[in-house]
Amino acid sequence: MLRFDEGNRVIRSEEHTAILAGVDTGEDISYSMQELGSLAGAAGIRVDGMLVQNLDAAHPGTYLGKGKMTELAELCRNMDADLVIANDELTGTQLRNMEQALSVSVIDRTMLILDIFASRAMSREGKLQVEMAQLQYRLPRLSGLGKALSRLGGGIGTRGPGEKKLETDRRHIERRIRDITREMRRHRQHRGVRRARSDRSGLPIVALTGYTNSGKSSVMNRFLSMAERDDVQVEQKDLLFTTLDASRRLITLADRSRFLLIDTVGFVSKLPHTLVEAFHSTLEEVVDADLLLHVADASFPDVDFHIDVTRSVLTELGAGDKPMLLLFNKVDLAPDFSALAYGPHAYAVSAKTGQGFDALLPRIRDMLWSDRVETDVLIPYDRGDLVSYLCAKMTPARIAHTETGTRMSVALSAEDRKRFSPYLAPKEPDVP
Ligand SMILES: Nc1nc2c(ncn2[C@@H]2O[C@H](COP(=O)(O)OP(=O)(O)OP(=O)(O)O)[C@@H](O)[C@H]2O)c(=O)[nH]1
Ligand SMILES: [Mg+2]
């Protein structure tokens, strides 16, 4: 039987045996079902069977049609399964009817994804965001959440809650949503202050984005190892949603220019809308970035599908038009892969072997600093803040301490050239 633990998870690590159920409305869902299996694996659930029905649309009452439901009940009994996972988001009615008909717990793809996120969230803000998404998912389904989600009704694993109970639960959830909204607002303000501070440092921001398990964290680690910063590597794992809380690292290129690299949460098809909404503030970092590195797994046969899913989530976040490079990662596993068909913004790379990064780096540099011009500035000694500002961005090509101030040779962006126009250094006299 499903239970909640303290972390608001639906599924506890106790062994579960699940049967996957899907509705095929025309497009091939074999990959989608396979991915559902991987999601179950990421939540620690064993999958022992699968049942797909071809239908024009999911049955409004029971998701699968009547005949298939009988088949599914039989399969559950034969496999001794205690859980059915539906490949699509279910309504409260569908959840309730299915549980009654099957006598096992029923969850859907959304609940499964929310559960994985709940178990992975580390930061306070991440936890709040996931809880918010869970509550918003639960609210319209209260009467259907009999077996799996009746914690708030008190009757874990018992019958669905009665009307009076439902009303109390609803009020309870609404109150909690209000509390979380308030706390998240405080976090957001806090982050706004932090961001304003990093904006002042003027470092360009590059964000990694893409389908889950495509290798975003590995690409970050490759950058770190090229910058000889292996000590601050991030976790990379063959598991969906390894990265949940964004991490930022400072990358210094060989020519001394610097940027902030941000590793973010991956996307998956049918990513719950409530979750995208809840993560909006975390993903602001993607929206604010100067450049996106969209990482895709070149060894995955239907990589275009992953690219499309990522693009549509980015568009939903308002980051669809950002400057972007498309990195086809894992080419060590797909030696015949060519990125040519994807246009001049596409690169074939391998985070594992380092292949392709030599061509990629100059391109990133061009995109971030194409407008830079090597400029000589002379900063008076009472403006140490300006010297720090420039040094945080890049190591100056030359630096000298003269009688009138610090003389530096730095590659300035158009914006910085304007800012530093009062400090242009007089031309050095030609040496005869
Ligand atoms: N062969 C090969 N494996 C890779 C490469 N890049 C990443 N991987 C593997 O792919 C798996 C996923 O890598 P991650 O870097 O964790 O992927 P991610 O996109 O950050 O995944 P999430 O954070 O879970 O969304 C790991 O097992 C990596 O070792 C590569 O270039 N070649
Ligand atoms: Mg990752």
Side-chain angles (χ1 to χ4, degrees), residues 127-289:
K127 286 186 176 146
L128 285 174
Q129 285 169 333
V130 178
E131 189 184 347
M132 181 70 140
Q134 286 178 319
L135 293 172
Q136 280 169 343
Y137 171 87
R138 228 181 277 170
L139 201 51
R141 291 179 179 79
L142 271 182
S143 59
L145 301 174
K147 281 202 170 65
L149 288 173
S150 59
R151 182 182 72 147
L152 290 163
I156 296 165
T158 59
R159 280 168 291 122
E163 276 310 309
K164 188 150 175 264
K165 197 89 209 117
L166 281 182
E167 196 40 47
T168 328
D169 291 350
R170 184 163 293 127
R171 279 208 300 273
H172 183 97
I173 291 187
E174 282 166 351
R175 199 176 325 121
R176 184 73 193 128
I177 286 180
R178 277 198 301 276
D179 289 349
I180 295 180
T181 311
R182 218 172 295 131
E183 194 176 338
M184 288 206 332
R185 204 177 298 138
R186 277 202 300 276
H187 280 283
R188 202 157 29 244
Q189 281 162 354
H190 200 75
R191 202 182 29 246
V193 173
R194 255 190 358 236
R195 188 158 38 233
R197 242 184 251 141
S198 79
D199 278 354
R200 272 205 300 277
S201 80
L203 285 174
I205 294 179
V206 179
L208 289 158
T209 181
Y211 213 78
T212 181
N213 216 36
S214 59
K216 300 173 296 299
S217 301
S218 307
V219 168
M220 180 172 221
N221 287 338
R222 171 57 59 182
F223 275 109
L224 286 167
S225 92
M226 286 188 305
E228 293 175 9
R229 303 226 35 219
D230 294 292
D231 54 316
V232 287
Q233 296 235 333
V234 294
E235 186 176 16
Q236 60 182 71
K237 226 183 196 173
D238 188 13
L239 190 73
L240 306 190
F241 302 120
T242 306
T243 307
L244 214 65
D245 295 314
S247 41
R248 309 157 136 243
R249 298 284 186 274
L250 181 68
I251 305 288
T252 307
L253 298 176
D255 72 344
R256 309 174 316 272
S257 38
R258 293 187 187 136
F259 61 87
L260 268 183
L261 185 62
I262 300 179
D263 184 20
T264 61
V265 59
F267 304 144
V268 72
S269 73
K270 306 185 192 181
L271 195 63
H273 190 77
T274 48
L275 200 59
V276 177
E277 228 164 59
F279 271 79
H280 224 273
S281 49
T282 308
L283 289 165
E284 270 169 21
E285 312 214 80
V286 173
V287 183
D288 281 351

Side-chain angles (χ1 to χ4, degrees), residues 339-415:
L340 281 178
Y342 292 88
H345 292 294
Y347 287 80
V349 300
S350 164
K352 187 173 178 187
T353 65
Q355 180 191 336
F357 280 80
D358 285 346
L360 175 66
L361 287 181
R363 183 63 185 279
I364 293 179
R365 205 157 31 221
D366 280 355
M367 289 187 76
L368 292 178
W369 294 290
S370 56
D371 63 345
R372 288 199 307 179
V373 176
E374 195 78 16
T375 314
D376 282 331
V377 292
L378 181 66
I379 316 271
Y381 284 121
D382 62 351
R383 292 307 306 269
D385 58 318
L386 294 180
V387 175
S388 314
Y389 169 88
L390 288 175
C391 288
K393 275 189 164 182
M394 74 209 88
T395 315
R398 279 188 308 142
I399 185 159
H401 300 286
T402 70
E403 260 174 44
T404 42
T406 310
R407 190 179 173 113
M408 303 163 80
S409 195
V410 273
L412 295 186
S413 65
E415 201 186 319

